[in-house]
Every structure is written in structure tokens, then in C-alpha cells.
Amino acid sequence: MVLTEEEKAILDGEEGRAAKKAMEILVALGEIYEAERLIRVRSVQIAGVSYDNLGDAGLSFLQEMAADGRARVPATLNPAGMDLVDWQDLGISEAFAEKQQQVVETFARMGVVTSCTCTPYFVGNEPGPGDTIAWSESSAVCYANSVLGARTNREGGPSALAAALTGKTAGYGFHLDEKRQPVVTVDVCAALGDITDYGALGKVVGDKLGNRVPSIRGLEQATTDELKSLCASIATYGGTAMFHAVGVSPEKVKEPGERMTVGSGEIEQAKKEMIDDEEADFVAVGCPHCSLEELRTIAGLLDGKRVSRETWIAVARQVKESAEGEGIIAKIRESGAKIAADTCFVVAPIRGRFNCMATNSAKAVFYGRAKNRFRTVFAPLEKLIEIATRP
Ligand code: F3S
């Protein structure tokens, strides 16, 4: 890999230990993936924020980097393991909260914006077509590549932090035109109604194609929330960091000759696979984090009702603040449902607290089962509210 004089100086430690370490990470990755050079990034989104995932070893690494490391480009965080303000309301222990605060303060010392969300595009970190970025949350990576037309690989926490501290990333993978070309055309021959249909579609395509990039036809009418649901699901079940949605994605690409069709039978089968025959004791909405529009709908559905089981609505703090201005948050809280800002039910330390989680997110089903050992019920929002308020 060819480095500029400035990059070599950073690698030689002339701009501090953290920048040197960050450059070492980027160069190592670049060499593994045969990048020719480093490229500038416009923004960074860093995952690996929850203390539940980081532990003390992760916290120590961050503290070491924060000794003299400073972000050179706008950088935001993925959800933390708790609501940074109302953590007690979510049943988080004081010991965990203390460690989690240390993690977030450490990122803040490095100049990282501590908006902890997997929907950075709802809180001002919204790249445009062709922008080079280094994001790490898989659903946001897929959304940035596929819907916004920006360019990012699926970074790990350390490589995203390294990009923030240098303003660079290695130029390989989805930064290159040829790697962004779709290889299979997917024709969606099913009427897609709500975000659970899009989540199920992501599971069907992801299960079949793995990390191959599809060009999907039939998504022209999809809303932002439906697309974010699809992005989260396809990246979870298949591992791909992008797809093309014909009529939606800004990039022009050639249609691949290889084809597959997804019909309503496969969508229904995927939904069935996400449903266990259990009564939910936990209702979880907002994976990826809710949009303002979704909060309005939830407030309307909960109006005049009381929840009878633990119910979390996960959201970015800034979106929550916008909703507060409209009285939406007060309405949701009146029902007894909890607003989980800065966090979500996957990265929070809640394993063992519940048996069965009801959710409208295919991604949450996957991680609820894999990480938290929950049984799951996969259902549309209206049904979730019915479950939450069941006597
Ligand atoms: Fe976001 Fe948590 Fe889902 S980080 S995409 S709400 S698993």
C-alpha cells in the first residue's frame, strides 16, 4: 500500500500514540484486503459502545486511545448499553451504569459526538451519494450504501475509531466501483405491507444470498422506515453491506443476468420461522431506532391504554427530543411504556430478565435469540401494542 508523507509521519508516531495505533490498524487492514491507498472519509460511525460487549478490556483500549487521540472528522456512536439519562427506569444496575458512563465519557474526550444511535441519518450524520464514510453499525452501513448511495465497508469498532482519529480508511471493498456491482437480480412478487414484511424479505434474501450483492426490484413504494427495516434484516441474515433497490438507490448499475424471485409464500414462511409459541413478557420496538413518524404512530396506538408488560421504545435522543416538542413522548409514557433513548434491547444487559420478546424487527429476533436467549414473537406494530396492553 502506498502511503502519503503525512500518513507515514502519523505511522512513525509524529502525531501521537493514538494516531500511530490508529494508522497501524488501517494499514494492517489495507494490506489484508489489498488496498492500494488510504482514502479520506467525511464521517465515521462507531459501534462497540455498550459496556455489555466491551467489558473492561475494551474500556481500557478506549482509555489508552483517549490519552492523546482526537477525532479529525465528524464521528458519532452506536447505541450504548443503557439510556444515558433514564437508565434506572430501564432497570440497569448502578455498577453497569458507572462503567457505561466511563465508556461514553472516554469517547467524548476524543471529540466523538455521543449521540448513541444506529440511525445516525436521523440525527444529522446523513452522507450523500458518492460520499466516502467509515461506519460500523451493520444496518446503518447497509442504509448508507443502498439508500443514500454513500460508500462504506462494514467497519469494526476499532477500525471505525481508527478512521475517526486519522480521517482516513483503507480503499478496498465497497469503496471500489467493481465491488458495488450487484450479482443477482431479485424480483419481489409479493405485496409488502408493513416493516415486518420488509424484515421478512431481508431474511429470505439474506438466507439465500449470504453476502452477495443483490439488485432488488419491486421496492419503489418503500418508505424510509421500511427500507431501514430491510437494511437491518438483510445485513443480519446475509451479512451483505449493500443492495441496489431499483428506483430507490441513487447509483446506476447494470442488471445482473442471474435472477431469483421472492413470493408471498416465502415471506410468510420467514415470518413463521421468527415466531415461537410463547406468551411475550417483553415488547420491544425500535430496531433500528424509531423515526419521528414511527413515534407518532406508536403514541396514537397507545392513546388511552395501559401496558401490562415491560415495553421499550428505542430511539435516538435527538429524535426523542423532537418528539417531546410534539407531546408524543408524554403520551407514550402515560401508557406505562418506556422510552429507551441511546440504547436498545439487544445491546442492553437484559439477558435473563425476560423469557419471550415480541418485536416487529427481524434483526431483533435474530439477536434476541442469539445474544439474549429470548424466545420471540414477530408481529406488526398494531399487534405488538395489543400484546403490550393485554390484561
Ligand atoms: Fe439498532 Fe440495536 Fe437494532 S443497535 S439496529 S436497535 S440491534
mmCIF file of all heavy atoms in Angstrom, residues 192-195 198-199 221-231 294:
data_model
loop_
_atom_site.group_PDB
_atom_site.id
_atom_site.type_symbol
_atom_site.label_atom_id
_atom_site.label_comp_id
_atom_site.label_asym_id
_atom_site.label_seq_id
_atom_site.Cartn_x
_atom_site.Cartn_y
_atom_site.Cartn_z
ATOM 1 N N LEU A 192 -45.962 -5.986 -0.201
ATOM 2 C CA LEU A 192 -45.314 -5.757 1.093
ATOM 3 C C LEU A 192 -46.099 -4.685 1.841
ATOM 4 O O LEU A 192 -46.260 -3.567 1.352
ATOM 5 C CB LEU A 192 -43.860 -5.322 0.887
ATOM 6 C CG LEU A 192 -42.985 -6.304 0.074
ATOM 7 C CD1 LEU A 192 -41.600 -5.717 -0.170
ATOM 8 C CD2 LEU A 192 -42.863 -7.639 0.793
ATOM 9 N N GLY A 193 -46.564 -5.031 3.038
ATOM 10 C CA GLY A 193 -47.471 -4.130 3.757
ATOM 11 C C GLY A 193 -46.796 -3.242 4.782
ATOM 12 O O GLY A 193 -46.889 -2.020 4.726
ATOM 13 N N ASP A 194 -46.103 -3.836 5.726
ATOM 14 C CA ASP A 194 -45.513 -3.030 6.797
ATOM 15 C C ASP A 194 -44.065 -3.467 7.005
ATOM 16 O O ASP A 194 -43.551 -4.302 6.262
ATOM 17 C CB ASP A 194 -46.320 -3.173 8.086
ATOM 18 C CG ASP A 194 -45.953 -4.443 8.820
ATOM 19 O OD1 ASP A 194 -45.808 -5.481 8.155
ATOM 20 O OD2 ASP A 194 -45.757 -4.405 10.044
ATOM 21 N N ILE A 195 -43.430 -2.961 8.057
ATOM 22 C CA ILE A 195 -41.989 -3.221 8.188
ATOM 23 C C ILE A 195 -41.688 -4.691 8.495
ATOM 24 O O ILE A 195 -40.585 -5.151 8.233
ATOM 25 C CB ILE A 195 -41.284 -2.291 9.205
ATOM 26 C CG1 ILE A 195 -41.714 -2.564 10.622
ATOM 27 C CG2 ILE A 195 -41.464 -0.832 8.859
ATOM 28 C CD1 ILE A 195 -40.800 -1.871 11.632
ATOM 29 N N TYR A 198 -40.950 -6.232 5.199
ATOM 30 C CA TYR A 198 -39.614 -5.879 4.709
ATOM 31 C C TYR A 198 -38.532 -6.623 5.505
ATOM 32 O O TYR A 198 -37.508 -7.032 4.959
ATOM 33 C CB TYR A 198 -39.406 -4.359 4.770
ATOM 34 C CG TYR A 198 -40.168 -3.664 3.663
ATOM 35 C CD1 TYR A 198 -41.523 -3.342 3.822
ATOM 36 C CD2 TYR A 198 -39.558 -3.370 2.454
ATOM 37 C CE1 TYR A 198 -42.239 -2.737 2.801
ATOM 38 C CE2 TYR A 198 -40.266 -2.767 1.430
ATOM 39 C CZ TYR A 198 -41.607 -2.453 1.603
ATOM 40 O OH TYR A 198 -42.316 -1.866 0.591
ATOM 41 N N GLY A 199 -38.775 -6.806 6.810
ATOM 42 C CA GLY A 199 -37.837 -7.575 7.623
ATOM 43 C C GLY A 199 -37.790 -9.024 7.161
ATOM 44 O O GLY A 199 -36.725 -9.637 7.044
ATOM 45 N N GLN A 221 -42.072 1.689 -3.833
ATOM 46 C CA GLN A 221 -43.004 2.365 -2.923
ATOM 47 C C GLN A 221 -42.549 2.340 -1.459
ATOM 48 O O GLN A 221 -43.248 2.848 -0.583
ATOM 49 C CB GLN A 221 -44.404 1.686 -2.986
ATOM 50 C CG GLN A 221 -45.010 1.580 -4.371
ATOM 51 C CD GLN A 221 -45.090 2.935 -5.063
ATOM 52 O OE1 GLN A 221 -45.396 3.943 -4.436
ATOM 53 N NE2 GLN A 221 -44.776 2.964 -6.354
ATOM 54 N N ALA A 222 -41.417 1.749 -1.193
ATOM 55 C CA ALA A 222 -40.998 1.576 0.208
ATOM 56 C C ALA A 222 -40.725 2.916 0.889
ATOM 57 O O ALA A 222 -40.138 3.820 0.302
ATOM 58 C CB ALA A 222 -39.739 0.707 0.258
ATOM 59 N N THR A 223 -41.134 3.016 2.145
ATOM 60 C CA THR A 223 -40.879 4.232 2.935
ATOM 61 C C THR A 223 -39.490 4.134 3.568
ATOM 62 O O THR A 223 -38.870 3.066 3.580
ATOM 63 C CB THR A 223 -41.905 4.369 4.067
ATOM 64 O OG1 THR A 223 -41.713 3.259 4.965
ATOM 65 C CG2 THR A 223 -43.335 4.358 3.553
ATOM 66 N N THR A 224 -39.053 5.226 4.161
ATOM 67 C CA THR A 224 -37.769 5.236 4.870
ATOM 68 C C THR A 224 -37.744 4.158 5.954
ATOM 69 O O THR A 224 -36.762 3.426 6.102
ATOM 70 C CB THR A 224 -37.548 6.623 5.525
ATOM 71 O OG1 THR A 224 -37.458 7.573 4.480
ATOM 72 C CG2 THR A 224 -36.292 6.664 6.362
ATOM 73 N N ASP A 225 -38.817 4.049 6.717
ATOM 74 C CA ASP A 225 -38.838 3.060 7.809
ATOM 75 C C ASP A 225 -38.823 1.639 7.272
ATOM 76 O O ASP A 225 -38.199 0.749 7.866
ATOM 77 C CB ASP A 225 -40.063 3.285 8.709
ATOM 78 C CG ASP A 225 -39.928 4.580 9.490
ATOM 79 O OD1 ASP A 225 -38.804 4.878 9.935
ATOM 80 O OD2 ASP A 225 -40.932 5.300 9.623
ATOM 81 N N GLU A 226 -39.493 1.421 6.167
ATOM 82 C CA GLU A 226 -39.486 0.077 5.572
ATOM 83 C C GLU A 226 -38.089 -0.264 5.043
ATOM 84 O O GLU A 226 -37.608 -1.383 5.204
ATOM 85 C CB GLU A 226 -40.554 -0.001 4.480
ATOM 86 C CG GLU A 226 -41.965 0.017 5.070
ATOM 87 C CD GLU A 226 -43.056 0.366 4.080
ATOM 88 O OE1 GLU A 226 -42.751 0.817 2.950
ATOM 89 O OE2 GLU A 226 -44.233 0.212 4.444
ATOM 90 N N LEU A 227 -37.446 0.711 4.427
ATOM 91 C CA LEU A 227 -36.093 0.469 3.911
ATOM 92 C C LEU A 227 -35.106 0.229 5.051
ATOM 93 O O LEU A 227 -34.225 -0.619 4.958
ATOM 94 C CB LEU A 227 -35.640 1.652 3.047
ATOM 95 C CG LEU A 227 -36.358 1.770 1.700
ATOM 96 C CD1 LEU A 227 -36.061 3.121 1.052
ATOM 97 C CD2 LEU A 227 -35.954 0.639 0.751
ATOM 98 N N LYS A 228 -35.257 0.955 6.150
ATOM 99 C CA LYS A 228 -34.307 0.728 7.264
ATOM 100 C C LYS A 228 -34.538 -0.649 7.877
ATOM 101 O O LYS A 228 -33.586 -1.305 8.298
ATOM 102 C CB LYS A 228 -34.331 1.884 8.273
ATOM 103 C CG LYS A 228 -35.303 1.840 9.422
ATOM 104 C CD LYS A 228 -35.045 3.022 10.365
ATOM 105 C CE LYS A 228 -36.284 3.479 11.108
ATOM 106 N NZ LYS A 228 -36.840 2.548 12.075
ATOM 107 N N SER A 229 -35.768 -1.108 7.874
ATOM 108 C CA SER A 229 -36.058 -2.459 8.356
ATOM 109 C C SER A 229 -35.418 -3.508 7.432
ATOM 110 O O SER A 229 -34.782 -4.465 7.889
ATOM 111 C CB SER A 229 -37.579 -2.673 8.410
ATOM 112 O OG SER A 229 -37.893 -4.012 8.643
ATOM 113 N N LEU A 230 -35.557 -3.301 6.131
ATOM 114 C CA LEU A 230 -34.950 -4.221 5.157
ATOM 115 C C LEU A 230 -33.427 -4.231 5.294
ATOM 116 O O LEU A 230 -32.795 -5.295 5.288
ATOM 117 C CB LEU A 230 -35.365 -3.805 3.740
ATOM 118 C CG LEU A 230 -34.700 -4.563 2.589
ATOM 119 C CD1 LEU A 230 -35.006 -6.056 2.650
ATOM 120 C CD2 LEU A 230 -35.154 -3.985 1.237
ATOM 121 N N CYS A 231 -32.844 -3.049 5.428
ATOM 122 C CA CYS A 231 -31.375 -2.951 5.556
ATOM 123 C C CYS A 231 -30.898 -3.724 6.790
ATOM 124 O O CYS A 231 -29.906 -4.464 6.728
ATOM 125 C CB CYS A 231 -30.943 -1.492 5.674
ATOM 126 S SG CYS A 231 -31.090 -0.589 4.122
ATOM 127 N N GLU A 294 -42.616 7.012 13.243
ATOM 128 C CA GLU A 294 -42.978 5.796 13.988
ATOM 129 C C GLU A 294 -43.430 6.146 15.405
ATOM 130 O O GLU A 294 -44.372 5.545 15.926
ATOM 131 C CB GLU A 294 -41.787 4.827 14.042
ATOM 132 C CG GLU A 294 -41.536 4.122 12.715
ATOM 133 C CD GLU A 294 -40.323 3.202 12.757
ATOM 134 O OE1 GLU A 294 -39.226 3.685 13.101
ATOM 135 O OE2 GLU A 294 -40.453 2.016 12.424
#
